[in-house]
Amino acid sequence: MWTGGWSLGLETAARAGAGVVKAAASGQAPDAYFDITPQWVCVRPIGPADDIHADGGEFRPARPYLRIGDASGTVVLWDSAEKGALELPMDKLRIVPVEKPPKSCAPS
């Protein structure tokens, strides 16, 4: 019985994750799931972008990202161009919510 419940929980989480990826690829903001409300953002570095360590890929400030969540001073962003998640230190970023992903987040 425990195994069945565990499998059902994992299947539901995997389905929710797949929905987030699909919505992000089409430029939409996905629905909330498991108390997580993804949101499109532009991310501005505080200081030089080269000084910001990104786990999971390369941080490119001109790209819009889908903010998936944050905890313990780290923010998780989905990079729809690279189809992967980045983990970045929040204290080195200014996160600006946007309605929908712009073509570029580069300052004008």
Side-chain angles (χ1 to χ4, degrees), residues 51-108:
D51 292 346
I52 299 173
H53 175 73
D55 284 334
E58 183 179 347
F59 171 53
R60 298 182 183 178
R63 283 191 182 162
Y65 291 96
L66 187 65
R67 181 180 182 164
I68 297 172
D70 58 75
S72 302
T74 300
V75 65
V76 179
L77 304 171
W78 179 258
D79 184 343
S80 61
E82 296 294 325
K83 297 181 176 73
L86 299 176
E87 292 183 18
L88 300 159
M90 288 183 63
D91 64 343
K92 296 189 177 202
L93 306 171
R94 186 169 59 92
I95 299 172
V96 181
V98 294
E99 276 299 308
K100 58 183 181 174
K103 292 194 185 292
S104 175
C105 284
S108 45

Side-chain angles (χ1 to χ4, degrees), residues 39-58:
Q39 180 181 36
W40 285 105
V41 296
C42 287
V43 182
R44 306 270 193 268
I46 298 172
D50 293 341
D51 292 346
I52 299 173
H53 175 73
D55 284 334
E58 183 179 347

